[in-house]
Amino acid sequence: MKRFDQELTELQHRLVEMGELAESMIATVVRGLEDISMDVSDVILKSEDVMDNLQVTIDSEVVRILTIYSPVATNLRYVLTVTHVTSNLERIGDQAVNIVELLQLMMARSTMKPEPRIIQMGHAVREMVNGAIGAYINKDSKEADKYRNRDEYVDSLNDQIMREVLSEEVALEALKGEPDLAGPLAQILIARALERVGDHSCNICDEVFPLVGGDHIKPFQ
Amino acid sequence: MWSTRLFWKPFTYFSLLIILSSVIGGATTIRWQQEQIIRQLELRLRNTAIALQSPAEEALAHQDIEDFQSVIQTMASQINTRITLVGKQGQVFADSHKDPQQLDNHGDRPELITALKTGNGSSKRFSDSLGIEMLYIAYRIEHQGTTVGCVRAAVNTQQISDQVADIQFKIATLVLIIIVGGLSIAGIGISKMTQPVVHLIEEARELTSGQIKKPRNLSKGNEFDELGQTLNNLSKTLSKRMRQLERNHNELLVVLEGMKEGVIAVDGSDCIRFANEAVCRMFSLDVKRDEGRPIWEVLRNQMIETTVHKARKSDEPFHGKIELLTPHELHLSLSASAIPSSSHSSSSKNPGVIIVFHDITEIHRLENMRRDFVANVSHELKTPLASIQAFAETLIDGAIHDDDNNMLFLTRIVEQSDRLNLLIQDLLSIARLESGENVTDFASVDLTEIAQRCLNDHQSHAAKKNITLVSNQIDSVWVFAEADGLTQILDNLVDNALKYTPEDGTVSVNIQAESRAVRLQVTDTGIGIPADHQDRIFERFYRVDKARSRQLGGTGLGLAIVKHLVNAFGAEVDVISAADQGTTFQITFPLVDDGDA
């Protein structure tokens, strides 16, 4: 039994590592958006590789633990939710890569800068990722609830950006005859990517409830 | 005490010894006594028989049976013995207890048969005549060489067993008394011996469980008391040490909790063993929840984790820097060192680590500012210098003979030199203010007068941009300050207001004397300062819009000078502004009495 506990701790350790990586990727991306620099792209791409490896490691570890120890009750629930969390974290990493690519596009093809709202969104989303991982690790349903509610704020920012970019600038640029399509497009897609990161954070928050109470709560569905 | 093994073990041995020895002794004595009694009886019977041999011989010889009968009857009743005279053929001549006529022939009695053959015989058997168990002793009677009969003495065996029982009872009682007495003596003796040991054990147990009682009073005596004395001393020293340790621990705790630096201690398996308040604030930890959990799980920071591992491997403290984003944006420098574990500790393989976090956010900010300042100064100085150089070179290259432009170039050179001069003057006054040298000659100054003079100076400038320059105060208001400094503050503020206010605007200087303070407000209807820039505008060379500011000819030092001067006067400066809605700079002076000077 002691061995099993050790394995669980080790699994948790790997998961924390992955969560940290996801958060730092988002933080790095946000810094890149703020400074409008591509210095971060190498870091992000490297992190993405590490992330993928970690996911594979953790998932195979989960399968191993399930087959060898056949855990029950709380332990079983925990081990099962781990795979969900890893897949969400992995997608957060993917979105970080997407954002870097979009930033590259924006810098290469447009004179536009990322909107202040995008930076705002970035900070909010980074906090959400951090909070979601914290809530999951601490099995704290209150925190989970708090951070999953932040998603509304992120969504509203996303809507605002979309509306603004679509209404004025694209139309005007297009009418002028020298359209800067890449800028607004990147703007929208970056916002969308950040919004997706927020959704993944919410999914991680959702995994806390079965850990704590044993039942799935999905108020938005 | 009765429940201790220490008592029961020796007591059991002693009891066994006592019981065994007394029982064996008693049994042997009883047996010996029994034999003795039987031998005595036999001897008596023999003596009786022998003593009766010759009277019996005589009685038989003289056929004087009647006399003999009466003799033995009296004798038998006296010595409680049955005496029988039997003839050679077994016929009974006389008997002390029965009428010889009624008795049958005794020729078949074993003792008589043996007696007739060998001279004497004995047997112990059931008497047919009396119906009880008897011991018989018979002796042959010879008369002139021929056997004439036997004399037989008999005694009731009941008598023997009565005597034996009596002796048995006495001895058994004695044995019982010896056992009881022996056991009690053994019990008391052993308990006396074990009592101090039991007390010592109790005391030692209390010592180990940490409760230290007042030491018992022990009389000087045997080795146990000496041991008790030693234990008492030990307990005294131990309690002293404990108190000292507790005090030290509490002191340490107070120091650690009161420290501005965060301190966190982890054990060999990375679990948090201690976290002080500062560290809890930095990482928003909950000591109750997080103590005992792995540090990687609680702090979730790769850098801290690797620091712990590196510190564990090396003897030297390990230093590093981390940047935190959540819960607050913090720059921390950390130093981690392994806790040297004693060599006989089992966990020496994986020592614990203590990490100390210093909050260097402020230092980091100041460092950034200084770096920016140096960069800014060089940049600000380079720009006019470059223009001067360019114009001068153009002139040298021949433009000096170009009558249309040479004056223009020279004017530009002068302009740029003025700018350079202004910049250097501002830098100098900043440097002077920062070293705190020149603001010593304080006096009560009439703020209204200075404000009026300043407005007069700027009137022409304002008129050029068609800006209304107004002031509300007529009465004199006295503040405790330095006149030159005050002028500099007002000049800077009004100059800024005029610069950033578009044409047809208004710049007003309001002075309000309140009960406890004097407020000076410089309000414009200009472009305003966005909220996120407001707390930085007093930094040197900080500009909301770099291009516009330089175009307007500012040095970027004006507000920094204002801030320094205001601080030197013990006043406060606030800015109230929103983008496109004008700006109000408000300086609050502590009040001095009117007309004090």
Side-chain angles (χ1 to χ4, degrees):
Chain A
M1 209 57 207
K2 198 158 180 218
R3 183 102 186 87
F4 176 55
D5 285 342
Q6 267 177 9
E7 299 251 14
L8 274 189
T9 312
E10 194 48 38
L11 186 70
Q12 173 103 325
H13 198 167
R14 291 279 89 78
L15 190 69
V16 168
E17 208 175 297
M18 196 169 166
E20 242 179 80
L21 193 64
E23 192 204 333
S24 79
M25 277 171 89
I26 296 297
T28 315
V29 160
V30 173
R31 200 176 309 134
L33 289 174
E34 272 179 318
D35 300 348
I36 320 173
S37 91
M38 288 307 296
D39 299 349
V40 295
S41 77
D42 282 351
V43 185
I44 293 293
L45 292 177
K46 235 176 252 164
S47 299
E48 169 67 8
D49 282 348
V50 177
M51 190 87 144
D52 288 347
N53 286 335
L54 261 175
Q55 193 201 5
V56 172
T57 317
I58 291 174
D59 285 357
S60 59
E61 192 68 6
V62 164
V63 172
R64 211 174 61 79
I65 285 175
L66 281 177
T67 46
I68 291 182
Y69 299 101
S70 34
V72 289
T74 322
N75 289 335
L76 177 63
R77 283 204 292 267
Y78 172 70
V79 172
L80 287 179
T81 53
V82 163
T83 47
H84 285 120
V85 173
T86 53
S87 72
N88 275 305
L89 287 174
E90 198 270 332
R91 275 179 238 168
I92 288 177
D94 290 347
Q95 296 295 356
V97 174
N98 284 350
I99 295 171
V100 168
E101 281 165 1
L102 289 166
L103 181 66
Q104 205 165 11
L105 173 82
M106 189 187 255
M107 283 166 67
R109 303 279 296 277
S110 165
T111 51
M112 263 181 142
K113 293 185 209 165
E115 281 221 15
R117 280 210 188 85
I118 282 185
I119 309 292
Q120 221 172 319
M121 226 175 137
H123 286 301
V125 158
R126 186 191 55 72
E127 263 174 45
M128 268 180 84
V129 174
N130 177 276
I133 296 162
Y136 181 77
I137 297 296
N138 295 332
K139 300 184 175 50
D140 188 338
S141 56
K142 240 191 229 165
E143 285 280 296
D145 219 32
K146 179 177 140 196
Y147 282 104
R148 104 201 282 302
N149 289 340
R150 292 265 178 97
D151 197 39
E152 283 176 48
Y153 170 62
V154 173
D155 284 351
S156 76
L157 277 177
N158 182 35
D159 288 349
Q160 285 174 27
I161 291 166
M162 185 93 98
R163 221 175 299 133
E164 225 161 87
V165 169
L166 278 182
S167 62
E168 296 166 28
E169 296 178 34
V170 175
L172 282 175
E173 290 289 324
L175 283 174
K176 266 189 210 161
E178 37 177 309
D180 175 8
L181 282 175
L185 195 65
Q187 208 83 282
I188 289 171
L189 289 176
I190 287 174
R192 191 177 154 65
L194 286 172
E195 192 265 335
R196 291 300 303 155
V197 172
D199 288 348
H200 290 308
S201 306
C202 273
N203 290 344
I204 294 173
C205 284
D206 287 339
E207 298 302 328
V208 176
F209 300 111
L211 284 189
V212 180
D215 45 322
H216 265 277
I217 307 166
K218 291 218 169 178
F220 287 129
Q221 288 178 4
Chain B
M1 148 194 149
W2 299 108
S3 58
T4 51
R5 272 171 60 89
L6 199 63
F7 172 80
W8 282 113
K9 221 170 174 181
F11 184 71
T12 315
Y13 288 133
F14 270 104
S15 315
L16 279 177
L17 189 69
I18 290 166
I19 292 170
L20 214 64
S21 56
S22 32
V23 164
I24 289 174
T28 331
T29 318
I30 287 171
R31 203 179 164 78
W32 184 66
Q33 281 288 341
Q34 205 172 354
E35 276 168 16
Q36 201 68 16
I37 287 165
I38 290 171
R39 204 174 304 137
Q40 288 269 327
L41 257 173
E42 263 181 26
L43 199 66
R44 210 185 80 207
L45 287 180
R46 247 173 244 284
N47 287 344
T48 316
I50 289 165
L52 283 174
Q53 246 176 339
S54 50
E57 184 194 340
E58 220 138 293
L60 280 177
H62 299 98
Q63 291 294 313
D64 198 6
I65 307 297
E66 302 285 299
D67 269 359
F68 191 74
Q69 173 83 14
S70 61
V71 167
I72 56 170
Q73 256 169 358
T74 24
M75 203 171 143
S77 67
Q78 274 164 1
I79 59 168
N80 199 14
T81 310
R82 180 184 173 200
I83 300 161
T84 317
L85 182 63
V86 186
K88 171 160 86 163
Q89 271 80 41
Q91 67 276 34
V92 178
F93 291 125
D95 192 275
S96 59
H97 281 60
K98 286 237 170 167
D99 187 6
Q101 254 73 52
Q102 286 171 1
L103 291 169
D104 55 351
N105 192 298
H106 276 33
D108 57 341
R109 301 298 195 268
E111 71 276 4
L112 292 178
I113 294 166
T114 343
L116 285 173
K117 268 188 203 156
T118 60
N120 64 65
S122 73
S123 90
K124 192 176 172 192
R125 63 181 170 77
F126 204 75
S127 163
D128 291 336
S129 327
L130 297 173
I132 46 172
E133 202 189 18
M134 306 280 281
L135 176 67
Y136 297 95
I137 301 282
Y139 272 81
R140 188 167 62 185
I141 307 167
E142 285 176 351
H143 182 69
Q144 293 165 347
T146 50
T147 307
V148 287
C150 281
V151 61
R152 189 182 70 171
V155 70
N156 189 351
T157 50
Q158 187 61 44
Q159 221 178 325
I160 305 169
S161 40
D162 280 353
Q163 273 188 35
V164 169
D166 186 42
I167 295 282
Q168 267 177 345
F169 176 73
K170 279 180 183 154
I171 288 173
T173 320
L174 197 69
V175 164
L176 212 67
I177 290 170
I178 289 172
I179 288 175
V180 170
L183 286 190
S184 12
I185 289 170
I188 291 167
I190 292 168
S191 79
K192 274 232 159 140
M193 253 168 65
T194 53
Q195 194 119 356
V197 180
V198 171
H199 275 298
L200 288 180
I201 290 169
E202 269 170 24
E203 225 161 277
R205 198 174 292 150
E206 277 168 14
L207 267 184
T208 47
S209 69
Q211 330 168 293
I212 290 156
K213 278 195 189 160
K214 251 178 94 177
R216 277 187 317 127
N217 281 327
L218 284 170
S219 59
K220 262 211 153 164
N222 58 18
E223 288 84 347
F224 281 135
D225 291 336
E226 226 166 283
L227 184 60
Q229 205 68 44
T230 322
L231 210 61
N232 270 350
N233 290 343
L234 182 70
S235 120
K236 262 188 248 167
T237 350
L238 216 59
S239 70
K240 214 165 93 188
R241 289 271 161 79
M242 288 272 263
R243 274 200 300 276
Q244 204 173 355
L245 219 62
E246 208 168 322
R247 207 170 43 235
N248 285 356
H249 178 251
N250 285 342
E251 278 172 9
L252 201 68
L253 213 63
V254 168
V255 169
L256 282 174
E257 289 296 347
M259 263 166 82
K260 237 183 93 198
E261 287 80 14
V263 180
I264 206 165
V266 298
D267 64 10
S269 51
D270 283 353
C271 291
I272 295 176
R273 285 281 153 252
F274 172 81
N276 75 349
E277 217 187 298
V279 96
C280 291
R281 256 200 321 272
M282 284 171 190
F283 296 93
S284 46
L285 299 187
D286 180 354
V287 180
K288 264 196 216 128
R289 187 192 63 192
D290 296 330
E291 220 167 59
R293 292 173 67 195
I295 192 165
W296 46 261
E297 189 180 297
V298 176
L299 299 187
R300 297 203 303 280
N301 192 311
Q302 196 73 47
M303 176 72 191
I304 294 174
E305 203 188 323
T306 44
T307 305
V308 168
H309 291 159
K310 276 181 192 160
R312 187 170 282 152
K313 275 184 203 129
S314 77
D315 299 331
E316 305 272 303
F318 183 84
H319 302 282
K321 272 183 191 173
I322 53 166
E323 196 186 333
L324 281 188
L325 293 169
T326 38
H328 323 287
E329 218 177 310
L330 282 179
H331 291 265
L332 300 175
S333 91
L334 55 89
S335 49
S337 38
I339 305 166
S341 54
S342 48
S343 54
H344 36 256
S345 157
S346 58
S347 62
S348 59
K349 204 175 72 184
N350 244 2
V353 176
I354 286 198
I355 320 166
V356 181
F357 296 94
H358 300 263
D359 187 347
I360 53 163
T361 316
E362 190 60 26
I363 299 172
H364 197 259
R365 198 180 66 85
L366 289 175
E367 238 170 47
N368 270 353
M369 239 161 90
R370 206 200 50 204
R371 214 173 26 234
D372 287 352
F373 179 68
V374 173
N376 281 331
V377 166
S378 1
H379 180 75
E380 296 290 335
L381 290 175
K382 228 171 73 186
T383 320
L385 217 56
S387 317
I388 292 171
Q389 196 176 11
F391 287 127
E393 274 169 6
T394 319
L395 287 172
I396 288 169
D397 285 350
I400 196 155
H401 303 298
D402 179 356
D403 290 337
D404 295 338
N405 289 320
N406 53 6
M407 274 319 280
L408 182 71
F409 287 166
L410 286 171
T411 325
R412 286 282 155 81
I413 286 174
V414 172
E415 262 173 29
Q416 293 299 327
S417 314
D418 279 347
R419 195 170 139 71
L420 212 53
N421 189 30
L422 208 65
L423 194 67
I424 287 163
Q425 259 175 18
D426 276 358
L427 276 172
L428 279 176
S429 56
I430 278 254
R432 239 192 352 259
L433 282 168
E434 279 188 346
S435 64
E437 267 174 22
N438 71 331
V439 277
T440 47
D441 43 351
F442 277 21
S444 272
V445 186
D446 185 359
L447 187 58
T448 323
E449 189 194 325
I450 290 173
Q452 206 55 55
R453 207 188 303 147
C454 169
L455 288 185
N456 292 340
D457 289 349
H458 285 86
Q459 207 65 55
S460 56
H461 187 185
K464 265 188 224 163
K465 283 179 86 176
N466 200 17
I467 290 172
T468 328
L469 196 56
V470 292
S471 163
N472 74 322
Q473 184 70 32
I474 306 136
D475 293 340
S476 290
V477 171
W478 299 86
V479 291
F480 193 63
E482 186 211 25
D484 287 349
L486 214 51
T487 316
Q488 208 170 354
I489 291 173
L490 267 163
D491 277 349
N492 272 318
L493 289 181
V494 173
D495 191 48
N496 272 353
L498 290 174
K499 264 186 215 157
Y500 293 104
T501 304
E503 298 197 349
D504 304 325
T506 311
V507 172
S508 57
V509 176
N510 294 329
I511 298 167
Q512 289 165 356
E514 290 175 9
S515 57
R516 301 173 122 212
V518 174
R519 270 179 226 287
L520 168 69
Q521 285 179 326
V522 179
T523 309
D524 63 43
T525 55
I527 56 168
I529 305 161
D532 48 338
H533 292 281
Q534 280 177 14
D535 46 348
R536 294 198 63 189
I537 51 170
F538 293 107
E539 285 173 20
R540 295 163 296 198
F541 295 116
Y542 188 82
R543 288 176 168 124
V544 177
D545 188 335
K546 288 190 172 124
R548 175 150 55 184
S549 169
R550 206 164 288 132
Q551 190 190 336
L552 292 168
T555 58
L557 290 167
L559 284 175
I561 291 169
V562 168
K563 175 90 175 169
H564 275 292
L565 281 168
V566 164
N567 283 350
F569 296 158
E572 272 169 35
V573 59
D574 301 300
V575 57
I576 307 149
S577 178
D580 302 325
Q581 289 181 6
T583 307
T584 300
F585 282 96
Q586 173 178 287
I587 299 170
T588 316
F589 294 94
L591 189 68
V592 290
D593 292 335
D594 270 22
D596 195 29

